[in-house]
Every structure is written in C-alpha cells, then in structure tokens.
Amino acid sequence: MGTGAVGNSYEDECRRSLAEEQAKSLAGTNNWEHVDRERVHQDWDVLYREITAFLDGGGSLPGDQQIQELVRRHFDIVSRFYTPSREAYVGMSLFYAEDEAMRAFHDSYHPGMVEFLGAAIKVFAKQGSGFAPSAEAEASA
C-alpha cells in the first residue's frame, strides 16, 4: 500500500508542513477564492491522462526527465492555490496515498498512479525549484 499512515520523522514533518501551509493559505485567501477550480481540475485531468500513458507504456521511472517535466506541471497547478515548501509538496504525495478518497481518485486513472506520482514528487522535491521556504528554514533564518 505504499507509505501508509505510520511514517518516519521526515514524513511526519511533511504531513505537518502540508497541514500548516494549507491552513495558512486557506485563511489568507478566503478558502482559495482566487483559484479557478474548474480549470485546475481540467488541467489535472489532462496531466493525469498523460502520466497514465507513460504508466501504460511501461519502462518509465519517476526520475526520468519527461516524468519530472510532468511533475513540474503538477507543481505549477498546485501553486495556483499557494506555493508549497518542499516538505509540504512531499506531504501532498503522502496525503494522496493515505486519504482513501484521494487514493481512489488518483488510482482511477491508473492503479499505480498514487505510488508512481508519489515517488516522482519525492524526486522533484529533492531536485526541483520554486518552492517556498519551509517553516524550519524560516525559523532558523
């Protein structure tokens, strides 16, 4: 089943970062009223169908350049709501895996979507750019 609800301290930090950053953003934007949710869902649908094509084709790895370009698009869509820290973005992948409705939604595109996307998000979080500073980074600055 993947990551599961019991995690290591880094995963716990990621879950906490996601919850804190989303709560702060929701409060500061009147529940993300600035977001065109219909457009976001259309864009995610297109993106997830593209990822599914790679999964169906086999042989793609989460760190492959074309997969990371798709994850960049995922991150850009997420950033329409707010710009997450690296930890919050990894926390989102954990949420996809641990929340029954989110897992069902993502896996409706492909039975391996949650695990593959989660692994690809973790690679992107290590190598990508454009993240907000984490709460720990801001506290130590």
Side-chain angles (χ1 to χ4, degrees):
M1 180 129 212
T3 51
V6 177
N8 60 37
S9 60
Y10 177 70
E11 288 178 344
D12 291 342
E13 176 187 343
C14 291
R15 288 181 192 95
R16 189 171 41 257
S17 293
L18 177 67
E20 290 172 2
E21 291 175 29
Q22 284 188 343
K24 182 179 178 182
S25 176
L26 282 162
T29 62
N30 195 25
N31 294 318
W32 295 325
E33 71 178 358
H34 65 285
V35 177
D36 181 345
R37 292 171 196 246
E38 183 177 333
R39 180 61 191 221
V40 162
H41 289 287
Q42 290 170 354
D43 291 347
W44 263 325
D45 181 64
V46 168
L47 177 64
Y48 291 155
R49 290 177 192 281
E50 289 180 48
I51 294 171
T52 295
F54 280 101
L55 290 170
D56 285 343
S60 293
L61 299 172
D64 290 350
Q65 181 180 348
Q66 68 270 23
I67 299 302
Q68 287 301 296
E69 289 170 7
L70 294 171
V71 175
R72 162 55 71 187
R73 285 177 42 207
H74 181 272
F75 178 80
D76 290 344
I77 295 169
V78 168
S79 295
R80 293 180 200 172
F81 294 87
Y82 74 102
T83 304
S85 66
R86 292 177 194 278
E87 294 79 10
Y89 194 49
V90 170
M92 183 173 292
S93 74
L94 296 171
F95 178 65
Y96 289 172
E98 295 165 358
D99 182 84
E100 192 174 314
M102 291 302 284
R103 175 177 279 281
F105 169 75
H106 287 86
D107 281 350
S108 72
Y109 285 90
H110 187 282
M113 178 68 80
V114 167
E115 268 71 18
F116 188 81
L117 184 58
I121 284 173
K122 288 174 184 165
V123 170
F124 185 81
K126 287 181 185 174
Q127 300 173 356
S129 62
F131 295 95
S134 67
E136 273 86 42
E138 287 182 337
S140 65

